[in-house]
């Protein structure tokens, strides 16, 4: 196992991604999927930094209270189709407090765009992905983290979310199609990147820079 210190930690993975052919017009679209609370947002931020400031699209901003997973058509029309044509995407992030869509945001085509959230590896997105990463945090642990993070006031929401997530992954699993499995450890992250990563033919790399375990 090869170890990397300080902030070149995710540099090898960033180089792998940057070397991939574009998958959506000029863009390398990279999905980061996993259970709610598995650490996708934190990892996406670290990977974006290693990629030199790659943009991150959070699927929490695409979903709504009424459409926890019924957002592919909106994502395709607002984001995927414009970027595939090499044009800026104009999209409206959802405000979970006001329960309405906010002002239009502009997303310029970039060499790499990270899309993170539950469902980032769903079948509607996979044809457009250059790479699919899966956060290898067990479901019960992930959900426990999420509930602790959001507090008792959102326990009813979490009850509904857990049912919706179970139904989603039962119908449209992502992990079997992941190219890279990412695990959190006491020193940061470990990942396995090869074709057939979920089948066990993998190599691992560890980074150690005291990352938060969130």
């Amino acid at each position: 196992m090869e170890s990397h210190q300080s902030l070149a930690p995710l540099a090898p993975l960033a180089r792998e991604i940057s070397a991939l052919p574009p998958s959506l017009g000029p863009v390398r679209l990279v999905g980061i999927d996993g259970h709610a609370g598995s650490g996708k947002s934190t990892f996406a931020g670290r990977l974006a930094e290693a990629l030199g400031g790659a943009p991150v699209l959070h699927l929490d901003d695409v979903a709504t209270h009424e459409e926890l997973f019924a957002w592919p058509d909106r994502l395709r029309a607002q984001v995927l189709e414009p970027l595939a044509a090499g044009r800026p995407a104009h999209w409206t992030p959802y405000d979970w407090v006001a329960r309405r869509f906010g002002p239009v945001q502009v997303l310029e085509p970039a060499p790499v765009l990270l899309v993170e959230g539950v469902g980032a590896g769903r079948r509607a997105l996979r044809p457009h992905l250059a790479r699919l990463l899966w956060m290898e945090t067990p479901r019960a642990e992930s959900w426990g983290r999420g509930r602790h993070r959001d507090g008792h006031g959102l326990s009813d929401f979490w009850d509904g979310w857990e049912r919706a997530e179970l139904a989603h992954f039962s119908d449209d699993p992502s992990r079997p199609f992941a190219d890279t499995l990412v695990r959190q450890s006491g020193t940061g992250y470990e990942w396995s990147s090869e074709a057939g990563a979920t089948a066990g033919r993998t190599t691992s790399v560890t980074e150690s820079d005291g990352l938060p375990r969130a």
Side-chain angles (χ1 to χ4, degrees):
M1 181 177 293
E2 181 183 357
S3 295
H4 301 269
Q5 304 295 325
S6 74
L7 183 73
L10 292 175
L13 181 57
R15 286 194 297 268
E16 284 184 33
I17 290 171
S18 297
L20 296 170
S23 59
L24 184 71
V27 178
R28 295 157 183 83
L29 188 66
V30 175
I32 301 174
D33 206 337
H35 298 292
S38 61
K40 299 179 297 298
S41 296
T42 299
F43 177 75
R46 295 289 180 166
L47 181 56
E49 185 178 0
L51 285 161
V56 180
L57 178 64
H58 303 281
L59 290 177
D60 284 350
D61 294 334
V62 179
T64 71
H65 283 89
E66 293 74 28
E67 297 177 322
L68 294 178
F69 292 101
W71 42 256
D73 288 345
R74 182 165 56 254
L75 181 67
R76 182 178 64 250
Q78 293 187 354
V79 177
L80 301 183
E81 290 179 353
L83 293 181
R87 303 192 310 269
H90 294 79
W91 67 291
T92 52
Y94 183 69
D95 186 326
W96 286 85
V97 175
R99 289 177 173 257
R100 62 173 181 266
F101 291 103
V104 173
Q105 302 290 316
V106 178
L107 183 61
E108 298 285 345
V112 177
L113 169 61
L114 304 179
V115 55
E116 73 83 17
V118 181
R122 66 192 304 170
R123 65 174 66 94
L125 269 67
R126 285 198 296 273
H128 308 291
L129 296 179
R131 175 72 64 90
L132 174 58
L133 290 75
W134 175 267
M135 301 299 294
E136 276 283 84
T137 306
R139 183 177 66 203
E141 180 182 343
S142 295
W143 287 353
R145 287 183 186 180
R147 283 181 178 271
H148 178 74
R149 176 193 65 205
D150 294 341
H152 181 72
L154 288 178
S155 60
D156 288 345
F157 173 82
W158 267 94
D159 290 344
W161 172 270
E162 290 178 3
R163 291 191 295 269
E165 185 182 305
L166 280 172
H168 167 71
F169 280 135
S170 176
D171 175 66
D172 192 355
S174 296
R175 188 186 182 281
F177 301 95
D179 306 292
T180 300
L181 304 180
V182 180
R183 298 173 177 87
Q184 288 181 310
S185 70
T187 57
Y189 295 105
E190 300 176 350
W191 69 90
S192 307
S193 298
E194 278 190 8
T198 57
R201 289 189 69 240
T202 64
T203 56
S204 297
V205 183
T206 302
E207 58 87 7
S208 307
D209 66 346
L211 301 183
R213 302 184 66 185

